[in-house]
Amino acid sequence: LTVTGRIESDPASVLQGPKAAKTLPKVIRADDLARLLRIHGPRELDGTPRDQTPEDMRDLAVLELLYACGARVSEASGLKTADVDLERRQVKVLGKGSKERIIPIHELAVQAMADYASIARPKLLGAKASDRFFVSSRGNPYSTDAIRKMFKRALREAGLDEGLSPHAMRHTFATDMLSGGAD
């Protein structure tokens, strides 16, 4: 009708097709998560004690933080020592759109982060100084890329699906919160 000039605009142009079904985000099963966290923990997968390197302590603290509060990799990487309050069991992160959030953290994450801060971080820093909480083995800020690579290595060592991403920890946190009654 618009071609013939009978009407000025096509009324069907404002119609939308049906929405595509959204796929559910990937989450990590509880037993797989426990396996993943043990990769850098003080015990082997079979339960025998082992000595943790400073890198193990840092990586365990990062993984615990990612799961314990649903932090993004960029938030963990950018975390400053001044924004970590282990006594109050909370961290202040700078999220997407430069939004600051104060997030409570679980006791296991608090313990892993306290061990890292008091034992491993000084060893990793050496003579360097840094305002970043997580640092590399050379004392530089622990980058998002390095955290993602560490995550992939941990997945491989735990024998888990390497298609998972650190963001799956965030989805797992959210799923667990919903299961626990949060809105």
Side-chain angles (χ1 to χ4, degrees), residues 1 3-4 43 69 73 94 180:
L1 294 172
V3 174
T4 61
R43 297 195 171 276
C69 66
V73 170
L94 190 62

Side-chain angles (χ1 to χ4, degrees), residues 9 24 28 44 46 57 64 71-72 98 118 128 136 144-145 174 177:
S9 64
L24 290 173
I28 304 171
E44 298 288 348
D46 65 6
M57 294 177 90
E64 286 282 5
R72 296 177 176 92
S98 297
S118 64
K128 287 188 175 182
S136 72
T144 56
D145 188 47
M177 291 292 289

Side-chain angles (χ1 to χ4, degrees), residues 31-42:
D31 56 332
D32 288 345
L33 184 62
R35 229 178 132 71
L36 180 64
L37 294 172
R38 281 199 120 158
I39 292 300
H40 295 291

Side-chain angles (χ1 to χ4, degrees), residues 13-54:
S13 67
V14 296
L15 297 177
Q16 294 180 348
K19 288 187 177 182
K22 289 186 177 181
T23 57
L24 290 173
K26 285 186 178 182
V27 296
I28 304 171
R29 292 186 359 232
D31 56 332
D32 288 345
L33 184 62
R35 229 178 132 71
L36 180 64
L37 294 172
R38 281 199 120 158
I39 292 300
H40 295 291
R43 297 195 171 276
E44 298 288 348
L45 290 175
D46 65 6
T48 59
R50 71 177 178 94
D51 291 329
Q52 285 178 288
T53 64

Side-chain angles (χ1 to χ4, degrees), residues 39-100:
I39 292 300
H40 295 291
R43 297 195 171 276
E44 298 288 348
L45 290 175
D46 65 6
T48 59
R50 71 177 178 94
D51 291 329
Q52 285 178 288
T53 64
E55 290 82 3
D56 282 328
M57 294 177 90
R58 176 204 54 217
D59 293 344
L60 176 61
V62 169
L63 291 173
E64 286 282 5
L65 177 70
L66 292 177
Y67 172 65
C69 66
R72 296 177 176 92
V73 170
S74 60
E75 293 168 342
S77 174
L79 190 63
K80 297 188 185 222
T81 53
D83 295 331
V84 176
D85 188 344
L86 297 177
E87 198 170 290
R88 289 187 174 163
R89 296 172 38 180
Q90 64 187 25
V91 293
K92 181 168 58 172
V93 297
L94 190 62
K96 275 187 175 178
S98 297
K99 291 181 184 172
E100 275 189 354

